[in-house]
Amino acid sequence: MTFVKTLALAAALATPFVLGSVPASAGDVTVGDLTLSNAWTRATPPRAMAGGGFVTITNAGEADRLVAASAPVSEKTELHEMVVTDGVMKMREMEGGIEIPAGGTVDLKPGGLHVMFMGLKAPIKEGETVPVTLTFENAGTVEVSFTAEKIGAKGMGMGTGGGMNGTGMKHGQSKN
């Protein structure tokens, strides 16, 4: 991925944007002790190579771990996080998955933990739903429909605006 594409991807994932957003909601999905809600993604420009997916996971039971994701819209789907290290925004794969603490809630959201759709097969269009299969270590596998908001949306029904605040990003540069 070129540096320019990497920066465009970072901007798409890390920022609130300039356009408005249309509220939409998908139903909650339950698997084991987990409830998944507010699953959404952003529409992408015609030649975008990647996109992000976001969801809130609430755990009413023992600790669990989101260990994998897959989606038919992309060649590869990974679990990622974005962090600022030494003033530089970096995105990396969460190779060990994402912990869902006992009795806790984890938000996969822009600028933080998220599902990463890499190698998009076609643009994601506003209003469509993207089926995503999420696999948890204990609860098992569940399919969740991610509702596509406008390009640049910062949340489900939360509008857009903002920017990267001059930070750069290096994808995959930092590993634990």
Side-chain angles (χ1 to χ4, degrees):
M1 185 179 294
T2 67
F3 180 72
V4 172
K5 288 179 181 176
T6 300
L7 286 176
L9 173 62
L13 291 173
T15 65
F17 292 86
V18 180
L19 304 171
S21 177
V22 175
S25 71
D28 291 355
V29 175
T30 301
V31 58
D33 292 325
L34 305 174
T35 300
L36 294 82
S37 58
N38 301 319
W40 68 283
T41 186
R42 293 185 181 118
T44 59
R47 286 182 247 164
M49 297 299 296
F54 317 101
V55 63
T56 299
I57 305 167
T58 301
N59 186 357
E62 299 297 316
D64 205 337
R65 182 169 289 277
L66 175 60
V67 294
S70 64
V73 297
S74 59
E75 293 173 10
K76 190 174 185 181
T77 306
E78 298 179 346
L79 303 171
H80 280 205
E81 76 170 341
M82 295 185 78
V83 296
V84 176
T85 303
D86 298 325
V88 177
M89 179 72 74
K90 296 180 179 181
M91 182 167 34
R92 66 181 180 152
E93 182 178 7
M94 300 292 291
E95 293 179 359
I98 297 170
E99 181 178 351
I100 314 298
T105 297
V106 174
D107 286 317
L108 278 61
K109 60 186 179 181
L113 299 167
H114 59 277
V115 176
M116 185 77 198
F117 307 118
M118 301 175 73
L120 289 174
K121 296 175 183 173
I124 297 172
K125 297 178 181 169
E126 180 184 350
E128 72 181 13
T129 57
V130 175
V132 178
T133 301
L134 300 175
T135 302
F136 295 89
E137 199 169 70
N138 299 325
T141 298
V142 64
E143 184 172 300
V144 180
S145 295
F146 284 55
T147 302
E149 299 283 341
K150 286 185 176 183
I151 292 174
K154 64 180 183 178
M156 286 186 80
M158 296 176 58
T160 57
M164 287 189 63
N165 302 320
T167 59
M169 187 203 78
K170 294 181 180 177
H171 186 264
Q173 295 294 311
S174 176
K175 301 276 183 190
N176 280 343

